Amino acid sequence: MTAEQEPEKRVKVVYCGGCNPHIDRTAVAADLPADDPDVGPGATVHVSGCPRACASDHLLTSDDPGTVVVAGELVDGVPTSASELAPTVTRKLKE
Amino acid sequence: MTLRTPEEFVQSIADLHLQIYMFGEKVDDYVNHPVIKPSLNCISMTYELARQPEYEDLMLATSHLTGKKVNRFSHIHQSTDDLSKKVKMQRLLGQKTGSCFQRCVGMDAINALYSVTYEIDQAKGTEYHQRFKKYVQFLQENDLVADGAMTDPKGDRGLAPHQQPDPDMYLHIVEKRDDGIVVRGAKAHQTGACNSHEIIVMPTVAMREGDEDYAVSFSCPANAEGVYYIYGRQSCDTRKLEGNDLDVGNAQFGGQEALMVFDDVFVPWDRVYLCGEIEFSGAVVERFAGYHRQSYGGCKVGVGDVLIGAAATAADMNGAAKASHIKDKLIEMTHLNETLFSCGLACSYEGVKMPAGNYQIDMLLANVCKQNVTRFPYEIARLAEDIAGGLMVTMPSAQDLADEKIGPIVEKYLVGQCDTPTIDRMRILRLVENLTLGTAAVGYRTESMHGAGSPQAQRIMIARQSNINHKKDLAKALAGVGKPWDRGKAKVPTAVSAD
């Protein structure tokens, strides 16, 4: 079961269930550019607490453009320190 | 090419004319050597079952490279279902052979290198991944066995590869040429190497600056010029030279390890998958080890099934099957064995799709799996020896049983439960001996300890992924650590009246 953020935000966040998080998932989501006009429509960020990537159905990357996968300290499968998760996702969403 | 038959497989290994040495002599007709033959039979079983419809679901997979059915041992996992079927296939083969069937190392090597080569290319602009995909397709289309060769002799464990007094303690590049590289060194404990068509070499540790020549991965034919093998001894191995099927315990199947030497072997560039990129050698080691630690949650469980069955049969033949402590020991053995299987499946079901597109097991659970494998088979073996009784190590030989004069005496005094022929009781006790301290104990016990990495290697990985700070936070939150404390609310409890 996943929970979704408010629909009016430009970035849709899909959380995993949070059974064993290695990162603060809500802190990562809070730092995303939810209202930034540079982010294209339909942006989605899957935020899983650990590398098992349950929020994205065990996929470390997504084929969908505008979708970024955070799984513990990984962004789209690339090791990323906890403090760099949100900035890295933001950069990707604006690319 | 379609799937090979077992006979075609054995002939293809004979055709390689490998350079194999055993007991100080070169072995020419190695496919018929009584010490080696049982290990070939194990790999033949991976070909035989793949041709039987009732095992196809586990033994075959659909290649993502060609869309054709291939033996699962040369498949790149495409889903968590593939990962779990791998474990189930390994349990099946452990059951059928009661041995290490040797083909897992190649499967685990191709899956580890598949994702790492992709990531190197992404970071460095190299072309390793395309090369490697072509190589995997070559393995699949020709239904080949590949040996995954990781463990270097390592010399002084306190020194880095480039610091060793003898530079050959880790396999390394001695020359780079326009057409390829020349490598020298050795790989130790090579399971099934003498039964393989191909060798896939990987580094054995994470490398640092100065180790560039040691950060090398490549493949070569098992009969490449300069490659030779020194066959590893196993406990009781010369019983296979005695020509009877009783004292060996398992006459059909067995494992195999060898010291594989690379004496200035040339490797063309299209077979090179890592060449000096030190920062990626650790990923190769971790991923290969992770897949192989998952493997043990299948293969050792299958062998465990055989040992539990042997112990239960020995109890029947001893006339002790109804004793409550025997039943309880068999339950304990089953509990331990199924726990290993649970770990193998759990790390499969929690696997993830990597950026390269293949699926990788959950690393933490795979390491937990292997950590249990370093312990539980020993306890299962201990209980099997307990149930079997001391006769398994004090029995007279097959030659004594066959002797005209003393044979009937052996038969008379070794009888157990009335309906059991003595020869059958001896056979099952020899199988328990084979698995717990004979040739198969190499695979079931010591390989469980050190194969895919010794126990401490798993503990390091478990520590790295244990998420201990989260656990501390959970405990602190429930205990109220850091909350202000009101002394006034601390009252002496009063008795509650029954009225």
Side-chain angles (χ1 to χ4, degrees):
Chain A
M1 183 67 75
T2 59
E4 297 179 5
Q5 243 182 7
E6 300 82 359
E8 66 268 19
K9 301 284 187 188
R10 292 183 74 89
V11 179
K12 178 184 170 187
V13 175
V14 180
Y15 290 113
C16 70
C19 70
N20 184 27
H22 294 203
I23 58 169
D24 186 338
R25 297 169 303 142
T26 52
V28 172
D31 286 346
L32 296 178
D35 304 313
D36 193 324
D38 290 343
V39 175
T44 303
V45 180
H46 296 271
V47 182
S48 296
C50 80
R52 289 170 190 146
C54 295
S56 52
D57 197 19
H58 300 290
L59 308 179
L60 289 183
T61 58
S62 172
D63 293 333
D64 297 335
T67 297
V68 180
V69 176
V70 176
E73 291 188 303
L74 297 171
V75 176
D76 286 344
V78 177
T80 308
S81 65
S83 62
E84 284 300 308
L85 291 172
T88 304
V89 173
T90 301
R91 210 162 39 244
K92 282 180 161 270
L93 290 174
K94 291 182 177 180
E95 278 173 1
Chain B
M1 172 168 190
T2 54
L3 296 167
R4 289 177 194 254
T5 65
E7 295 75 21
E8 287 168 343
F9 158 68
V10 172
Q11 186 57 51
S12 67
I13 294 296
D15 292 344
L16 292 173
H17 303 293
L18 299 173
Q19 308 295 306
I20 300 173
Y21 294 85
M22 184 195 297
F23 301 136
E25 294 177 344
K26 187 163 176 296
V27 183
D28 291 323
D29 186 16
Y30 48 84
V31 297
N32 289 309
H33 192 288
V35 172
I36 300 176
K37 181 91 177 157
S39 68
L40 264 169
N41 290 342
C42 278
I43 300 195
S44 292
M45 185 61 83
T46 70
Y47 285 91
E48 187 177 327
L49 295 187
R51 299 171 63 82
Q52 297 180 16
E54 64 268 40
Y55 298 116
E56 181 179 320
D57 187 48
L58 295 183
M59 296 301 303
L60 299 182
T62 302
S63 168
H64 73 296
L65 299 171
T66 64
K68 294 176 185 165
K69 290 277 187 184
V70 296
N71 194 299
R72 189 175 294 282
F73 281 102
S74 57
H75 181 55
I76 301 294
H77 313 304
Q78 296 298 302
S79 62
T80 53
D81 190 49
D82 271 349
L83 290 171
S84 62
K85 281 181 176 168
K86 170 197 166 185
V87 173
K88 292 172 184 174
M89 171 185 73
Q90 291 165 316
R91 183 172 189 168
L92 169 69
L93 280 157
Q95 292 172 344
K96 294 287 187 186
T97 62
S99 300
C100 168
F101 40 89
Q102 310 146 51
R103 208 173 165 180
C104 309
V105 280
M107 169 174 54
D108 294 336
I110 60 173
N111 277 279
L113 283 168
Y114 191 88
S115 61
V116 178
T117 53
Y118 177 89
E119 289 163 30
I120 302 172
D121 288 359
Q122 294 293 303
K124 302 271 187 177
T126 45
E127 54 186 37
Y128 295 134
H129 189 61
Q130 285 307 317
R131 285 180 196 170
F132 194 68
K133 278 169 74 173
K134 280 185 192 166
Y135 178 65
V136 172
Q137 191 170 331
F138 163 72
L139 294 178
Q140 292 179 344
E141 291 185 337
N142 293 282
D143 200 10
L144 299 177
V145 176
D147 171 47
M150 176 163 279
T151 309
D152 291 278
K154 296 201 284 280
D156 185 337
R157 272 62 171 171
L159 298 176
H162 74 279
Q163 295 171 326
Q164 297 286 331
D166 181 343
D168 300 342
M169 289 301 100
Y170 288 77
L171 189 144
H172 60 115
I173 301 166
V174 292
E175 186 185 356
K176 283 184 186 171
R177 301 180 355 196
D178 290 342
D179 53 351
I181 58 175
V182 177
V183 298
R184 185 186 304 157
K187 292 291 181 181
H189 328 303
Q190 287 310 294
T191 299
C194 305
N195 295 334
S196 298
H197 304 98
E198 286 280 322
I199 307 296
I200 303 172
V201 166
M202 299 162 283
T204 198
V205 292
M207 303 285 176
R208 299 191 178 88
E209 204 174 323
D211 293 331
E212 284 78 4
D213 287 340
Y214 298 85
V216 61
S217 175
F218 61 87
S219 62
C220 67
N223 61 351
E225 193 175 343
V227 174
Y228 58 93
Y229 307 84
I230 306 169
Y231 210 86
R233 291 213 68 168
Q234 296 180 331
S235 171
C236 309
D237 53 4
T238 48
R239 287 193 193 182
K240 293 177 182 175
L241 303 174
E242 294 173 6
N244 76 77
D245 68 350
L246 173 58
D247 285 351
V248 288
N250 181 349
Q252 296 180 68
F253 301 104
Q256 174 196 102
E257 285 77 27
L259 177 65
M260 180 164 49
V261 181
F262 292 76
D263 188 6
D264 288 357
V265 175
F266 171 72
V267 182
W269 283 116
D270 66 352
R271 291 289 203 112
V272 177
Y273 315 117
L274 178 77
C275 186
E277 294 86 356
I278 50 174
E279 65 271 39
F280 287 95
S281 58
V284 176
V285 177
E286 278 184 15
R287 291 181 197 180
F288 172 77
Y291 281 121
H292 211 48
R293 289 167 192 175
Q294 170 210 26
S295 288
Y296 281 21
C299 66
K300 304 304 177 203
V301 179
V303 178
D305 287 328
V306 175
L307 183 54
I308 294 166
T313 306
D316 290 343
M317 291 176 168
N318 290 347
K322 289 181 181 168
S324 62
H325 73 97
I326 296 289
K327 290 179 188 170
D328 192 57
K329 283 163 188 163
L330 291 169
I331 291 167
E332 178 65 9
M333 293 164 83
T334 304
H335 159 68
L336 292 169
N337 207 41
E338 297 300 335
T339 302
L340 298 180
F341 190 50
S342 305
C343 291
L345 290 178
C347 70
S348 304
Y349 294 138
E350 290 287 83
V352 291
K353 187 178 184 182
M354 301 296 283
N358 62 323
Y359 271 72
Q360 181 172 287
I361 33 69
D362 180 81
M363 282 290 185
L364 175 59
L365 297 181
N367 278 278
V368 168
C369 177
K370 174 64 208 326
Q371 183 75 185
N372 284 334
V373 172
T374 66
R375 302 171 183 179
F376 295 180
Y378 285 86
E379 179 63 6
I380 294 171
R382 188 185 73 80
L383 291 167
E385 290 182 35
D386 181 349
I387 293 170
L391 190 60
M392 66 176 248
V393 292
T394 62
M395 266 191 304
S397 67
Q399 291 86 343
D400 293 320
L401 182 66
D403 185 80
E404 211 168 287
K405 183 179 171 192
I406 58 174
I409 305 299
V410 171
E411 198 157 356
K412 169 183 163 74
Y413 285 110
L414 265 53
V415 77
Q417 197 264 347
C418 320
D419 299 333
T420 303
T422 297
I423 177 67
D424 286 346
R425 186 170 180 234
M426 291 176 76
R427 282 186 190 281
I428 209 74
L429 291 174
R430 285 291 181 215
L431 179 59
V432 175
E433 181 194 34
N434 170 261
L435 286 162
T436 55
L437 40 86
T439 54
V442 173
Y444 191 59
R445 292 174 60 130
T446 313
E447 189 180 282
S448 290
M449 178 69 79
H450 292 295
S454 304
Q456 193 59 24
Q458 291 110 55
R459 301 184 80 79
I460 290 167
M461 290 295 289
I462 291 168
R464 201 183 290 170
Q465 298 167 84
S466 67
N467 200 13
I468 196 74
N469 287 331
H470 178 242
K471 293 173 179 26
K472 287 182 188 174
D473 289 343
L474 294 172
K476 287 175 185 173
L478 290 177
V481 172
K483 279 174 65 179
W485 187 56
D486 185 351
R487 285 175 182 270
K489 288 188 177 175
K491 295 176 183 169
V492 176
T494 51
V496 179
S497 167
D499 301 331

